[in-house]
Amino acid sequence: MAKVCPLFSGSSGNSYYIGTGEHGILVDAGRTAKQMEGALSANDINISSVRAIFVTHEHTDHIAGQATLTKQFRLPVYASPGTGRHLCYRIAALEDVLHTCAPG
């Protein structure tokens, strides 16, 4: 059964996991990779279950863990073209895994 797990919410970081225990996606990665792994684990979800990250926008409280997660796990990243451009300026390794999608 699919579930939505709010991992972090607020000005110090935002992230949600949507999926099952076997596979799902992250919406934003607003805390460190270590904190993201801990929050997933606290919800009985292994980081290896994450198949992609959807980034809503490029504010730090939505992407703080993005660089490390991208480097360690090579997860596909989905974002609007504008957000994708800003992310690539900040995270060099992102270009290889970034997929842009039209807003709306």
Side-chain angles (χ1 to χ4, degrees), residues 48-87:
S48 65
S49 299
V50 177
R51 300 290 187 253
I53 302 173
F54 286 75
V55 181
T56 59
H57 62 283
E58 64 274 10
H59 289 167
T60 302
D61 62 324
H62 293 261
I63 65 162
Q66 187 71 56
T68 303
L69 290 171
T70 297
K71 290 174 188 171
Q72 284 184 348
F73 301 102
R74 302 300 299 159
L75 296 169
V77 176
Y78 293 84
S80 71
T83 295
R85 233 182 350 271
H86 286 282
L87 290 172

Side-chain angles (χ1 to χ4, degrees), residues 9-104:
S9 181
S11 60
S12 62
N14 294 280
S15 185
Y16 290 82
Y17 176 85
I18 302 171
T20 65
E22 290 80 40
H23 51 81
I25 63 165
L26 288 176
V27 177
D28 293 329
R31 294 274 185 99
T32 68
K34 184 173 182 145
Q35 290 172 317
M36 298 293 298
E37 286 188 77
L40 287 165
S41 181
N43 285 281
D44 297 320
I45 301 163
N46 190 295
I47 188 73
S48 65
S49 299
V50 177
R51 300 290 187 253
I53 302 173
F54 286 75
V55 181
T56 59
H57 62 283
E58 64 274 10
H59 289 167
T60 302
D61 62 324
H62 293 261
I63 65 162
Q66 187 71 56
T68 303
L69 290 171
T70 297
K71 290 174 188 171
Q72 284 184 348
F73 301 102
R74 302 300 299 159
L75 296 169
V77 176
Y78 293 84
S80 71
T83 295
R85 233 182 350 271
H86 286 282
L87 290 172
C88 287
Y89 291 142
R90 295 171 85 169
I91 306 168
L94 197 68
E95 289 180 1
D96 295 337
V97 295
L98 177 66
H99 304 275
T100 58
C101 22

